[in-house]
Amino acid sequence: MTSVSLSVPDEAQSTEPTSTSPFQGFYNNPLPHDYFGFLSPVGYRAPDETMAILRPWLAQQATEITDRPLRIVDFFSGYGANGLLLRTGYSMAEISALYAEGDLASDDFEVHQRFFREPVISANQVELTGLDIAANALAYAHDTGVYQQVFDDNLLENPPSQGLAQAAFDADIILESGGHHEISAPIIDGLLGAINPDRRPPLMMSIARDFDTSPIIDVLARHGYGYRVLKPDFMLRQFADDAEREKRQARNRELGKPNGGTLGDNVRYADLYWAEYKG
């Protein structure tokens, strides 16, 4: 689909594949207040780390591509945290504060639409395509005008739809920030299978330490992509509670990876990956 509607009932449940994420339960509400309400106390930083690389990269690309908008495909996009930061120039802490007690604290959706009507970076400069399976979250990202098209394709079971395949073909970069990488390999495979073979876009991904990256690296290699870590061991966020910390750290031990780091042991660490076509 190219658009979704905010008419999805409030009580609708997300069809997101089973995971241990503490985001379950409020990831797919019509408005993102609960989502950002969770993110703020745990200091979620993946979109900030993405923006630190993406903003200057886009500025450089804009000097070379002058006849059309730059095009981004954002998978695991949800409510569009990457797009929200890109459009406004804010940090996650700043945008979260707006949803908590600022201009975006309102339950009136028209207030949200008006807020994003004059972004710092417009759709004429950068077109955003979102991919997720949370219909309400996608609807918010699209109907606020932050994302120009959104898709709810389930790439775990099906190839990309014609619309999503075209978006991948047209993309200048594919990215995500802190998604469910236990299921991301087939998603990456589907997107890379649809790209333009004459100008294969880079990928940027924030992958938590407690995920097994080997399926992702294998998929990248099958498509001729190599990778490097731009920023290792950054703080994705703090753990939501002791139970999550114990589960994630047990997974680190299973993978032969360390727990803790320079910011202590109550932090979920991640690496920022950059992948490019090598042939």
Side-chain angles (χ1 to χ4, degrees), residues 35-36 39 44-55 80-83 85-86 90-92 176-178 206 234 236:
Y35 174 79
F36 283 99
L39 293 175
Y44 184 57
R45 284 202 46 80
D48 292 305
E49 300 294 346
T50 298
M51 289 303 117
I53 304 299
L54 183 65
R55 286 171 176 148
N82 283 321
L85 268 58
L86 182 65
Y90 292 141
S91 67
M92 279 299 293
E176 71 75 44
S177 292
S206 295
F234 72 85
L236 182 70

Side-chain angles (χ1 to χ4, degrees), residues 213-227:
T213 57
S214 57
I216 299 170
I217 293 169
D218 289 346
V219 164
L220 292 172
R222 285 204 303 272
H223 289 275
Y225 275 69
Y227 73 92

Side-chain angles (χ1 to χ4, degrees), residues 191-203:
L191 293 173
L192 290 182
I195 60 174
N196 185 341
D198 293 327
R199 58 176 190 88
R200 302 174 190 266
L203 286 82

Side-chain angles (χ1 to χ4, degrees), residues 88-206:
T88 63
Y90 292 141
S91 67
M92 279 299 293
E94 290 167 333
I95 203 78
S96 296
L98 289 175
Y99 282 105
E101 55 188 7
D103 293 341
L104 297 172
S106 173
D107 290 333
D108 183 348
F109 182 67
E110 291 184 359
V111 172
H112 294 244
Q113 288 179 308
R114 288 195 298 271
F115 182 87
F116 294 109
R117 200 160 285 163
E118 296 183 5
V120 173
I121 295 180
S122 72
N124 292 327
Q125 298 167 285
V126 177
E127 290 182 357
L128 286 166
T129 294
L131 171 63
D132 208 293
I133 58 172
N136 277 317
L138 286 175
Y140 181 86
H142 178 267
D143 293 351
T144 53
V146 175
Y147 284 63
Q148 284 56 68
Q149 52 183 351
V150 294
F151 297 90
D152 62 357
D153 297 31
N154 185 348
L155 299 189
L156 304 184
E157 299 179 358
N158 302 297
S161 63
Q162 182 177 353
L164 178 59
Q166 186 64 54
F169 186 89
D170 293 337
D172 295 301
I173 188 169
I174 298 170
L175 58 85
E176 71 75 44
S177 292
H180 297 288
H181 283 287
E182 70 270 33
I183 61 170
S184 67
I187 297 171
I188 296 167
D189 190 34
L191 293 173
L192 290 182
I195 60 174
N196 185 341
D198 293 327
R199 58 176 190 88
R200 302 174 190 266
L203 286 82
M204 182 162 50
M205 302 172 286
S206 295

